[in-house]
Amino acid sequence: MPTTDPFRLAEQAASEVVDALGGQAPSVAVVLGSGWLGAADVLGVPDTELSTGDLTGFAVPTVAGHRGSIRALEVGGRRVVVLVGRVHLYEGLSEADVVHGVRTAVLAGCSTVILTNAAGGLNPEWPPGTAVALTDHLNLTNRSPLSGPPPPDPYGSRFVDLSEVYSARLRAVARGVDPSMREGVYAALRGPHYETPAEIRMLRTLGADLVGMSTALEAIAARHLNAEVLGVSLVTNLAAGVASTPLDHAEVLAAGAAAAPGLGRLLRGVIEGL
Ligand code: 8IG
């Protein structure tokens, strides 16, 4: 019977990826959020593009602006995989589905994982288009990618330490590329609805600077496998009650398109500076 264990599925997918790359294991993974596709294009032209539909265990994304593929390219002498077409809890998928791409990338050899996303900004001084490096998160999804049976050998305890999910070292590399880079705490909610103004006031009280519907579970899964994580949010809208107009997904994609060249340079600079 085929396995349903999420770690075994990710091992299988990882070996398919490494085979498709001619045995050359990648060392850096970039997970693209909504609005980041243009940034990935600035990073360089992929030499290989795999459809996640041809790989073991990948769920099919259902969101505008997401397609399921893994692109491979060389950046600053490093083999990089770019995961296009993240999936989310709000699509009705499991935690294991949500982190499968990250697990696959780490098991394929990526010791550095760069998680990007589009987010609502809680700080009125960060206009749409601002890139923010994550210092920490509030996982308000009430879900964990480590729930379920214990991870099989050789994977570590499910009781994973999260005292430094987002690497201070990688944030320093990002600041080296862009000294004006802001830093903040990301609140992850399940969505897919946006928040009410009262919920945004609550999130500010809790210490959040950004709000979105991704990243936290992937960061936990990457840390569990000992990868170093950089999180970067692109503020694409001010959150409800901070903004003066209703929120809209088209606004997210437009802010991403406008910010793409700068974000692409940031990704390139970070990877070259690792
Ligand atoms: I882009 O304002 C984006 N994603 N939860 N709230 C939540 N997710 C988001 C938002 C937002 N903007």
Side-chain angles (χ1 to χ4, degrees):
M1 210 178 79
T3 184
T4 55
D5 180 89
F7 292 90
R8 298 295 178 231
L9 290 173
E11 284 174 351
Q12 178 69 37
S15 99
E16 291 161 3
V17 169
V18 174
D19 284 350
L21 300 182
Q24 269 195 295
S27 64
V28 180
V30 180
V31 177
L32 291 191
S34 331
W36 281 77
L37 196 57
D41 291 337
V42 171
L43 199 52
V45 179
D47 53 70
T48 312
E49 181 154 13
L50 313 173
S51 167
T52 54
D54 298 331
L55 300 169
T56 295
F58 280 81
V60 178
T62 63
V63 189
H66 292 254
R67 276 179 303 124
S69 70
I70 296 181
R71 299 174 173 188
L73 73 168
E74 206 86 18
V75 179
R78 291 192 170 80
R79 201 83 184 112
V80 178
V81 284
V82 179
L83 278 62
V84 186
R86 163 186 271 149
V87 294
H88 305 81
L89 290 174
Y90 64 70
E91 296 173 73
L93 299 168
S94 69
E95 306 91 317
D97 288 328
V98 166
V99 304
H100 182 67
V102 163
R103 278 193 179 134
T104 296
V106 176
L107 297 183
C110 297
S111 52
T112 303
V113 174
I114 303 176
L115 299 173
T116 69
N117 63 54
L122 274 60
N123 182 337
E125 278 159 29
W126 294 347
T130 305
V132 184
L134 307 192
T135 54
D136 208 340
H137 71 222
L138 298 169
N139 176 11
L140 301 178
T141 67
N142 287 324
R143 305 277 284 269
S144 171
L146 298 169
S147 66
D153 272 348
Y155 306 107
S157 163
R158 56 184 150 193
F159 302 111
V160 61
D161 177 77
L162 295 182
S163 39
E164 190 183 325
V165 177
Y166 302 93
S167 160
R169 184 185 83 84
L170 294 183
R171 283 205 303 284
V173 173
R175 273 198 308 275
V177 178
D178 176 3
S180 74
M181 186 89 178
R182 314 290 206 281
E183 298 194 340
V185 172
Y186 177 85
L189 278 71
R190 293 194 56 181
H193 52 272
Y194 294 123
E195 296 69 34
T196 65
E199 287 165 342
I200 293 299
R201 286 193 296 276
M202 171 188 79
L203 293 173
R204 291 175 79 149
T205 302
L206 295 178
D209 301 295
L210 302 150
V211 58
M213 307 176 196
S214 69
T215 303
L217 301 190
E218 291 153 281
I220 294 167
R223 289 301 301 137
H224 174 248
L225 296 176
N226 263 318
E228 213 178 352
V229 177
L230 176 68
V232 187
S233 286
L234 173 67
V235 175
T236 54
N237 62 276
L238 291 178
V242 185
S244 50
T245 54
L247 311 186
D248 161 14
H249 191 70
E251 178 184 25
V252 172
L253 300 179
L263 297 176
R265 285 192 297 274
L266 175 70
L267 291 177
R268 168 168 289 280
V270 167
I271 294 167
E272 288 173 349
L274 286 174

